[in-house]
Amino acid sequence: MKKGVFFYFYYFLAVVIVIANAFFVINDNFFLDIESVPDGEFQYSEYSPKKSTILKVYTLDTTAGKKSVRVSETNANGTRNIFWQSDVQDVKIVWKNDYVVIINDIDLNLRKEEYFDCRSINSIFNDGEMGR
């Protein structure tokens, strides 16, 4: 009789652990806020072609000599983070027009309030569709 009780107790404990782990995986991958990334050290600013938007680039040193990059957008509506990428050495910003910018080969339409966060679950596919 005792063997059956211990079996069910361990079975119940295992199920609780699996459910708890699933909750934290889902929470970490689907409910990340790009506004919660670290500030980093200011590097430079990049203006849109009509000078209506400023992109500010910040870097943060991480482990193994790699850097993380944060880019914030400032315009008449305020300031918000639009880009976060880990393990990069440099940042390349190219403006297509006043509302579309390419940051490290990721197209972002600022008018649609798109953003890129490499921590998103979709980042394992590296398709540039995060935050859309």
Side-chain angles (χ1 to χ4, degrees):
M1 185 70 146
K2 280 188 174 182
K3 185 175 184 182
V5 171
F6 286 121
F7 172 77
Y8 287 116
F9 173 75
Y10 289 124
Y11 182 75
F12 175 75
L13 186 62
V15 169
V16 168
I17 290 171
V18 168
I19 291 171
N21 282 334
F23 170 77
F24 287 111
V25 166
I26 291 169
N27 187 40
D28 286 347
N29 287 307
F30 289 109
F31 301 107
L32 294 172
D33 183 15
I34 193 166
E35 296 301 325
S36 68
V37 297
D39 290 336
E41 182 179 332
F42 177 76
Q43 298 299 311
Y44 64 92
S45 296
E46 184 82 30
Y47 287 88
S48 63
K50 294 182 182 176
K51 308 278 190 238
S52 62
T53 302
I54 304 170
L55 298 183
K56 295 181 180 177
V57 177
Y58 301 85
T59 59
L60 180 73
D61 291 328
T62 57
T63 59
K66 303 234 176 165
K67 292 185 179 185
S68 293
V69 174
R70 176 178 70 93
V71 178
S72 68
E73 168 197 17
T74 302
N75 59 24
N77 298 329
T79 300
R80 69 183 183 99
N81 290 332
I82 62 167
F83 190 84
W84 174 259
Q85 189 174 29
S86 300
D87 299 332
V88 294
Q89 292 300 324
D90 58 347
V91 181
K92 181 180 177 188
I93 297 176
V94 177
W95 287 92
K96 280 187 170 180
N97 57 43
D98 211 43
Y99 300 104
V100 178
V101 64
I102 303 169
I103 305 173
N104 287 357
D105 298 324
I106 306 291
D107 290 11
L108 299 174
N109 187 328
L110 302 180
R111 184 178 279 171
K112 295 180 181 178
E113 295 190 1
E114 293 179 341
Y115 64 90
F116 175 83
D117 188 343
C118 71
R119 303 171 300 166
S120 173
I121 194 165
N122 293 329
S123 66
I124 60 173
F125 302 112
N126 293 320
D127 61 359
E129 296 296 323
M130 283 62 76
R132 298 182 183 195

